[in-house]
Amino acid sequence: MAPYDFDNAPSRIGSGSCKWDEYPGCIPLWVADMDFKAAPCIIDALRSRVDHGVFGYTHVRDGFYQALTGWFAREHGYEFTRADVINVPGVVPALSAVIKALVPEGKGVIVMTPVYNCFFSSIRNNGCSVVECPLLPEPCGEGEFTYRIDFTLLERLAADPRNSMLLLCNPHNPGGRVWTPAELARVRDICRAANVRVLSDEIHCELVMPGYTYTPYGTIDPDAVVCVAPTKAFNIAGLQIADIVCRDHALLARIDRAVNINEVCDVNPFGVEALIAAYTPEGKAWLEALRSYLAANWQYTRDMLHTHLPQCPVACLQATYLPWIDVSPLGVTGSQLADTLERECHVRINGGAMYGDDRYVRLNIACPRALLAEALRRILSFLSS
């Protein structure tokens, strides 16, 4: 048996799982969490914390910051200190608090669409305007495409005094892009010249495919605000732990104030223990095995789509476990197709409208391969009938 058994996962039906219980009877390939058990080192750490038996308000101790800063320095060359960090229950509350702190009401926040759906709500809920800078798709062979940044448009939008922030997704969800150092440097130069602050969501940073390397935006632009979390990579989103990193302590004080205004300043004890356990050699070994399994799931999905749905271009998946597929050749919108597949095939996927482009659908392939194979069999059999 392999050290980590990703082929077998516990049933999540009836466990209070958003992914499984919101669409009963469906194979869920929608919301971005995985069906795999967490790393054994995380489970052991949580079990030890449960055995203590008292779960009061949590003091985030030195070991948490040592684990966090040590991991990013070792694994990604991203150096920051405890003094640069604010703890929050999640990246979405973090984004909202940073926008509240740094963007005046009525100002614009630039986003590169299609993009993670909560970007839109975090901006609008703070009384700001969403300013779209659509990514440019371009073919890259074998029925695939990739995205590039429209730097000409970005420069024009950044120069507009009505816009004061760029909300970056690095790596990009749902486009699957791992931005290169050169691309990030150009983003930095454009935004710096226009006095536009960059806020980078890097929650998917560990989930890169073989042959690609994540570059923390904070290594390119020390003035940026960066949000990180172990929750996607280690499948612990329900434990609600994330961090805001900002080396400018005057800005960090403003962000801290907004975190407290939004009342998202407390984290739970299990999230603290999980992060400490994740950012260890044992956690890294599990993560490496996970990435290999996800890469094989992606290759399987890619091959099935190329064989049975060749008319629909697929984004080259450089990061995340969320393939992005252009279904416009089928003559339907992504939302229409998602609803049809739920009704006819009992498979739930995401339509592209929530990400800003309904020509597409998004799949979640972070599940045992047999389950993925059954979901794809249902989808492709229906579409070919």
Side-chain angles (χ1 to χ4, degrees), residues 65 68-73 78-85 226 228 243-247:
Y65 296 100
L68 173 68
T69 59
W71 176 271
F72 276 91
Y78 183 21
E79 303 218 2
F80 52 89
T81 70
R82 172 177 181 161
D84 304 327
V85 174
V226 178
V228 296
D243 293 284
I244 301 168
V245 181
C246 178
R247 294 191 183 105

Side-chain angles (χ1 to χ4, degrees), residues 26-362:
C26 286
I27 298 176
L29 304 186
W30 66 292
V31 67
D33 74 3
M34 301 187 284
D35 289 324
F36 312 122
K37 281 188 175 183
C41 60
I42 294 176
I43 295 172
D44 289 345
L46 295 177
R47 185 175 291 116
S48 177
R49 185 66 184 84
V50 167
D51 288 344
H52 181 267
V54 181
F55 314 113
Y57 295 119
T58 300
H59 168 69
V60 181
R61 63 188 187 276
D62 289 345
F64 175 95
Y65 296 100
Q66 291 164 1
L68 173 68
T69 59
W71 176 271
F72 276 91
R74 289 190 311 272
E75 300 300 321
H76 305 300
Y78 183 21
E79 303 218 2
F80 52 89
T81 70
R82 172 177 181 161
D84 304 327
V85 174
I86 296 173
N87 315 123
V88 283
V91 165
V92 173
L95 299 178
S96 183
V98 175
I99 292 168
K100 179 185 286 292
L102 304 183
V103 184
E105 285 193 32
K107 288 285 190 175
V109 178
I110 303 165
V111 295
M112 298 176 184
T113 51
V115 76
Y116 176 48
N117 51 295
C118 287
F119 280 19
F120 300 103
S121 56
S122 290
I123 294 166
R124 290 171 178 146
N125 288 346
N126 283 288
C128 301
S129 301
V130 174
V131 179
E132 296 191 31
C133 183
L135 295 169
L136 301 174
E138 56 184 25
C140 57
E142 299 183 350
E144 294 186 6
F145 69 95
T146 190
Y147 282 112
R148 61 183 176 86
I149 298 170
D150 187 340
F151 286 111
T152 301
L153 177 57
L154 178 61
E155 191 164 18
R156 179 163 59 82
L157 294 175
D160 187 332
R162 293 172 295 182
N163 304 325
S164 61
M165 176 175 280
L166 168 66
L167 180 45
L168 180 68
C169 198
N170 175 43
H172 191 82
N173 167 29
R177 271 301 314 273
V178 175
W179 304 120
T180 66
E183 288 171 315
L184 295 176
R186 192 162 178 197
V187 167
R188 175 203 62 204
D189 292 345
I190 288 171
C191 291
R192 186 175 287 171
N195 198 30
V196 166
R197 182 72 55 186
V198 177
L199 168 59
S200 187
D201 171 0
E202 309 202 347
I203 197 170
H204 290 279
C205 67
E206 310 297 347
L207 296 169
V208 294
M209 289 291 166
Y212 296 95
T213 301
Y214 150 71
T215 301
Y217 186 72
T219 63
I220 301 294
D221 182 1
D223 298 328
V225 181
V226 178
C227 297
V228 296
T231 48
K232 283 286 185 265
F234 291 93
N235 203 30
I236 53 173
L239 299 183
Q240 298 180 315
I241 191 73
D243 293 284
I244 301 168
V245 181
C246 178
R247 294 191 183 105
D248 183 328
H249 290 182
L251 286 184
L252 197 66
R254 290 166 59 186
I255 294 167
D256 187 55
R257 177 62 180 152
V259 165
N260 281 272
I261 290 171
N262 284 2
E263 296 182 341
V264 290
C265 48
D266 291 323
V267 296
N268 78 63
F270 299 107
V272 172
E273 301 306 321
L275 182 146
I276 293 171
Y279 292 157
T280 59
E282 294 82 4
K284 180 179 178 180
W286 181 90
L287 180 62
E288 289 175 345
L290 170 74
R291 285 193 291 234
S292 294
Y293 193 87
L294 293 176
N297 269 9
W298 162 234
Q299 188 60 56
Y300 177 83
T301 303
R302 181 175 178 266
D303 290 345
M304 290 290 286
L305 294 172
H306 286 180
T307 300
H308 300 286
L309 205 65
Q311 69 272 40
C312 291
V314 182
C316 176
L317 193 68
Q318 302 174 1
T320 81
Y321 46 74
L322 303 165
W324 181 243
I325 305 163
D326 181 355
V327 297
S328 60
L330 302 177
V332 295
T333 67
S335 298
Q336 288 169 339
L337 182 59
D339 290 343
T340 299
L341 294 178
E342 181 188 347
R343 183 176 63 253
E344 301 294 334
C345 304
H346 305 294
V347 178
R348 183 64 195 175
I349 64 175
N350 288 121
M354 67 176 66
Y355 310 105
D357 196 331
D358 209 17
R359 294 174 295 177
Y360 298 85
V361 295
R362 194 188 78 166

